[in-house]
């Protein structure tokens, strides 16, 4: 299914939701959906009591794991929701400088007209000053209705709030970038850890198979009288010692794959296999003929290595690292907060307009009475509120805003130092792997040749079982060391990409979000 086909199928759904959020999810969500549906299909075919054992393990490569993680990881979803929430805060900030329009209508029916008592002398100068006369005020029916409009003409806090909300939105976008970089790197490292465990399991299993073959030959030699039963016992003990290691490695693989599923945002109960063969991965080759390693090699080559250009890497990191970009936006946001606190010294100017109708009528109600009993009024008011003295709160708020800016500057300096340290450490890890590569390849070739010679010597009766065991152990150590070197290189490369802010897939996704925002 192509992206175009997916967009056509989901066009009506996209129209009902925020385009930035949905497009960001849709780009990477196709694979996750296919993956999930295939797992569910396998589950539906299983009997209820055998569901767990009947789930078919799905095999994915590194690229697919990253795409699923970016589309389904909970932290990614929360970061995207924060961007959407920031959009709504921008709308809220703009509402503070938009007109406030309201309408009202009231009807009052006096079941008994209110009566007040007034001195008789009010109506009759010759009347008794102490006498009171009941006088009815009002009518049977009263109507009131109208419109009111209020508009902020000047408010420093309101205008600064608009700019602050825009910066807050930018901060959430940078948080999305930083989260994406972290999720991709975490997925890569966990994937490589699983491959190392998988390779260790294979090597232990291969060692057991070699020992079992050797044990079978040794038993035949024992039956023929060429060796004693102690040689057989030695091999049986070695096999028995390796079986717990095989079991432990199997659990390590399972736990690491569960961690990978958790990062991808998928249920940890799913069965999962991953592609990759570290024993066949050459860190110097730009391409690979092995399908198992195609995704590993592609992602490794997406970001070029610049091991000797420290100034260039540092400059790139300052521009592209999500954590540094967040702090830069936060500093600008705190500058706006300082402006907002200073705006408390400025006056607020507002204007309001009211248009009202009123009517009164005796007897049976007639909507808004007649022309003779109906009246209209209009008012226009401009108000200015000048804060003169509010204690020391405003000055304290200004000073606090300045302190926060200074604190952010210190955080930026420390983060830059951390970035430089991370770049250096990642480069050292890459260099170490590259320097050990040739020696480890040579060690494997020598160990294989040594094992073959030791086995041949033993089979010809001129060597000992101990020589075979030592050679076999050296071969296994050489193979494990090579796989750990490759994993160390890939891990260091993933950390290098994050340290310089050039994590695969992230920049493309962020750029698409920005384009979608500009189209809104």
């Amino acid at each position: 299914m192509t992206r175009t086909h997916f967009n056509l199928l989901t066009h009506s759904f996209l129209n009902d939701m925020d385009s930035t959020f949905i497009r960001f999810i849709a780009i990477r969500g196709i694979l996750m959906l296919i993956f999930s549906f295939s797992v569910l299909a396998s589950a539906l075919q299983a009997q209820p009591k055998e569901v767990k054992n009947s789930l078919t393990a799905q095999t994915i490569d590194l690229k697919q794991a990253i795409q699923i993680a970016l589309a389904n990881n909970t932290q990614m979803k929360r970061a995207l929701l924060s961007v959407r929430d920031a959009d709504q805060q921008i709308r809220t900030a703009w509402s503070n400088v938009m007109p406030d329009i309201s309408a009202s209508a009231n009807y009052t029916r006096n079941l008994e007209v209110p009566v007040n008592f007034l001195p008789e002398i009010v109506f009759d100068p010759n009347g008794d000053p102490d006498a009171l006369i009941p006088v009815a005020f009002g009518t049977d029916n009263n109507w009131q209705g109208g419109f009111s409009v209020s508009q902020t003409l000047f408010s420093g806090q309101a205008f600064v709030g608009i700019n602050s909300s825009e910066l807050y939105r930018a901060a959430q976008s940078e948080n999305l970038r930083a989260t994406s970089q972290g999720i991709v790197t975490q997925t890569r490292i966990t994937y490589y850890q699983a491959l190392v465990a998988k390779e260790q399991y294979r090597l232990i299993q291969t060692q057991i198979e070699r020992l079992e073959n050797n044990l079978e030959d040794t038993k035949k030699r024992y039956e023929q009288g060429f060796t004693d039963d102690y040689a057989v016992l030695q091999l049986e003990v070695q096999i028995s010692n390796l079986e717990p290691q095989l079991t432990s490695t199997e659990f390590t693989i399972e736990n690491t794959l569960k961690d990978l599923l958790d990062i991808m945002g998928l249920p940890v109960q799913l069965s999962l296999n991953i592609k990759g063969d570290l024993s066949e991965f050459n860190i110097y080759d730009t391409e690979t003929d092995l399908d198992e390693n195609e995704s590993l090699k592609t992602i490794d080559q997406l970001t070029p290595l610049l091991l000797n250009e420290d100034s260039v890497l540092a400059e790139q990191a300052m521009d592209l690292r999500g954590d540094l970009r967040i702090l830069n936006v936060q500093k600008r946001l705190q500058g706006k907060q300082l402006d907002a606190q200073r705006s408390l010294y400025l006056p607020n100017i507002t204007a309001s307009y009211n248009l009202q109708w009123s009517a009164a009528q005796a007897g049976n109600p007639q909507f808004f009475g007649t022309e003779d009993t109906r009246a209209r009024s209009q008012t226009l008011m401009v108000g200015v509120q000048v804060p003169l003295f509010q204690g020391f709160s405003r000055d304290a708020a200004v000073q606090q805003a300045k302190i926060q800016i200074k604190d952010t500057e210190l955080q930026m300096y420390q983060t830059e130092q951390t970035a430089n340290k991370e770049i250096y450490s990642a480069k050292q890890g890459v260099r170490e792997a590259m320097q050990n590569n040739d020696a480890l390849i040579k060690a494997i070739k020598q160990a294989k040749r040594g094992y073959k010679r030791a086995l041949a010597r033993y089979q010809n009766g001129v060597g000992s079982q101990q020589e075979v065991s030592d050679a076999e152990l050296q071969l296994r150590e050489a193979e494990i060391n090579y796989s750990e070197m490759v994993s160390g290189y890939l891990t260091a490369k993933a950390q290098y990409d994050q340290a310089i802010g050039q994590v695969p897939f992230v920049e493309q996704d962020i750029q698409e979000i920005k384009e979608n925002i500009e189209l809104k």
Side-chain angles (χ1 to χ4, degrees):
M1 182 184 291
T2 64
R3 179 183 172 188
T4 303
H5 294 156
F6 184 81
N7 287 338
L8 290 175
L9 291 172
T10 59
H11 179 71
S12 60
F13 180 64
L14 294 174
N15 289 336
D16 295 335
M17 299 189 70
D18 183 84
S19 61
T20 301
F21 179 78
I22 297 301
R23 290 179 185 177
F24 186 82
I25 288 295
I27 294 171
R28 300 177 301 260
I30 305 170
L31 182 63
M32 182 198 66
L33 294 174
I34 296 175
F35 175 80
S36 300
F37 290 155
S38 61
V39 173
L40 291 176
S42 301
L44 291 174
Q45 295 175 357
Q47 296 296 328
K49 63 181 180 180
E50 300 176 347
V51 169
K52 181 177 181 180
N53 296 329
S54 301
L55 289 176
T56 303
Q58 302 299 309
T59 302
I60 63 174
D61 58 26
L62 178 57
K63 182 178 180 180
Q64 293 169 336
I66 292 174
Q67 289 174 328
I68 295 173
L70 286 174
N72 206 47
N73 183 272
T74 302
Q75 295 181 29
M76 283 296 302
K77 291 180 178 180
R78 294 186 63 189
L80 288 165
L81 289 174
S82 296
V83 175
R84 297 184 67 192
D85 179 71
D87 289 334
Q88 303 308 313
Q89 292 197 29
I90 292 176
R91 297 179 64 188
T92 301
W94 274 103
S95 67
N96 293 326
V97 296
M98 290 183 177
D100 185 1
I101 304 173
S102 61
S104 62
N106 297 307
Y107 166 72
T108 302
R109 171 67 180 186
N110 289 317
L111 301 179
E112 293 183 0
V113 178
V115 175
N116 287 329
F117 292 90
L118 299 178
E120 181 182 2
I121 195 173
V122 173
F123 303 98
D124 184 4
N126 299 320
D128 185 359
D130 297 329
L132 299 177
I133 299 177
V135 179
F137 286 89
T139 57
D140 296 330
N141 304 286
N142 294 275
W143 288 270
Q144 287 184 338
F147 298 90
S148 63
V149 181
S150 61
Q151 172 67 54
T152 299
L153 300 181
F154 177 81
S155 174
Q157 280 192 309
F159 294 130
V160 172
I162 294 175
N163 293 331
S164 298
S165 64
E166 296 282 355
L167 285 175
Y168 178 76
R169 206 270 184 210
Q172 296 306 315
S173 297
E174 296 304 334
N175 178 63
L176 175 61
R177 179 195 300 272
T179 302
S180 301
Q181 292 176 347
I183 293 301
V184 172
T185 303
Q186 189 178 5
T187 302
R188 292 172 68 181
I189 293 176
T190 306
Y191 193 97
Y192 301 146
Q193 291 173 347
L195 286 181
V196 169
K198 177 182 173 183
E199 182 65 14
Q200 290 177 342
Y201 181 86
R202 184 188 70 81
L203 292 176
I204 295 174
Q205 199 171 39
T206 301
Q207 184 180 11
I208 292 176
E209 292 175 357
R210 287 197 292 255
L211 289 173
E212 288 177 344
N213 293 333
N214 193 7
L215 176 61
E216 185 177 352
D217 293 339
T218 302
K219 286 181 177 180
K220 292 180 180 179
R221 292 171 59 83
Y222 169 70
E223 293 173 356
Q224 296 171 358
F226 292 107
T227 186
D228 57 10
D229 59 349
Y230 181 68
V232 176
L233 180 61
Q234 279 186 311
L235 291 173
E236 291 176 341
V237 171
Q238 291 183 46
I239 294 174
S240 298
N241 288 332
L242 286 175
E243 288 176 350
Q245 297 182 31
L246 187 67
T247 302
S248 177
T249 307
E250 185 177 5
F251 277 101
T252 301
I253 295 174
E254 183 178 355
N255 292 333
T256 309
L257 291 177
K258 298 305 180 186
D259 293 338
L260 183 61
L261 284 168
D262 183 58
I263 295 172
M264 292 191 297
L266 298 177
V268 295
Q269 294 82 4
L270 297 179
S271 297
L272 182 69
N273 285 331
I274 57 176
K275 290 184 178 180
D277 188 349
L278 298 183
S279 65
E280 299 295 332
F281 189 95
N282 191 316
I283 65 176
Y284 283 107
D285 291 343
T286 57
E287 296 180 357
T288 180
D289 296 330
L290 187 66
D291 292 339
E292 282 278 309
N293 291 335
E294 182 178 357
S295 180
L296 295 178
K297 182 61 67 174
T298 298
I299 293 176
D300 177 49
Q301 297 293 318
L302 285 178
T303 304
L305 275 170
L306 301 174
L307 298 180
N308 299 320
E309 300 184 19
D310 294 338
S311 60
V312 175
L313 293 178
E315 184 177 353
Q316 289 178 349
M318 301 310 116
D319 293 336
L320 298 176
R321 280 181 60 120
D323 51 356
L324 287 170
R325 293 169 67 103
I326 289 175
L327 289 173
N328 184 47
V329 176
Q330 284 182 353
K331 181 181 177 181
R332 294 166 56 195
L333 182 60
Q334 288 169 351
K336 293 299 179 182
Q337 291 176 346
L338 177 59
D339 294 339
Q341 299 301 332
R342 287 171 173 169
S343 68
L344 294 175
Y345 292 93
L346 301 176
N348 291 328
I349 304 175
T350 59
S352 61
Y353 169 77
N354 289 280
L355 175 62
Q356 296 289 329
W357 286 272
S358 61
Q361 179 194 0
N364 294 327
Q366 183 179 352
F367 183 71
F368 260 80
T370 62
E371 185 175 354
D372 296 335
T373 60
R374 185 169 59 242
R376 186 184 72 180
S377 63
Q378 300 182 66
T379 59
L380 176 64
M381 182 183 67
V382 177
V384 179
Q385 184 179 5
V386 181
L388 297 179
F389 181 75
Q390 296 177 345
F392 302 105
S393 60
R394 289 180 295 181
D395 183 66
V398 170
Q399 296 303 319
Q400 285 179 330
K402 291 180 179 180
I403 292 173
Q404 290 176 358
I405 292 175
K406 291 294 184 181
D407 182 68
T408 302
E409 290 175 349
L410 291 174
Q411 291 183 48
M412 292 178 65
Y413 172 79
Q414 184 60 49
T415 305
E416 289 174 0
Q417 295 300 314
T418 301
N420 291 327
K421 180 180 178 181
E422 290 176 352
I423 293 173
Y424 176 80
S425 299
K427 287 167 57 178
Q428 289 296 94
V430 172
R431 287 195 181 102
E432 180 182 356
M434 288 182 170
Q435 291 179 4
N436 293 333
N437 180 73
D438 293 341
L440 291 174
I441 292 177
K442 181 179 179 180
I444 290 178
K445 292 179 180 179
Q446 292 174 335
K448 287 182 178 179
R449 187 167 63 249
Y451 175 74
K452 290 180 180 179
R453 292 184 61 181
L455 185 60
R457 284 169 52 83
Y458 176 71
Q459 291 174 345
N460 291 327
V462 295
S464 65
Q465 177 61 47
Q466 185 62 41
E467 291 178 352
V468 177
S469 298
D470 292 341
E472 199 280 333
L473 179 60
Q474 292 174 356
L475 175 57
R476 179 193 168 196
E477 288 179 351
E479 292 173 329
I480 290 179
N481 289 338
Y482 182 81
S483 64
E484 290 180 345
M485 180 275 297
V486 173
S487 175
Y489 163 80
L490 293 173
T491 299
K493 182 57 167 54
Q495 294 170 340
Y496 168 89
D497 294 346
Q498 185 181 24
I500 65 174
Q502 295 190 37
V503 179
F505 305 107
V506 172
E507 290 303 318
Q508 177 183 355
D509 296 331
I510 298 299
Q511 181 62 32
E512 181 168 354
I513 288 179
K514 290 182 177 179
E515 291 175 357
N516 290 335
I517 293 173
E518 293 174 356
L519 293 175
K520 290 174 63 176

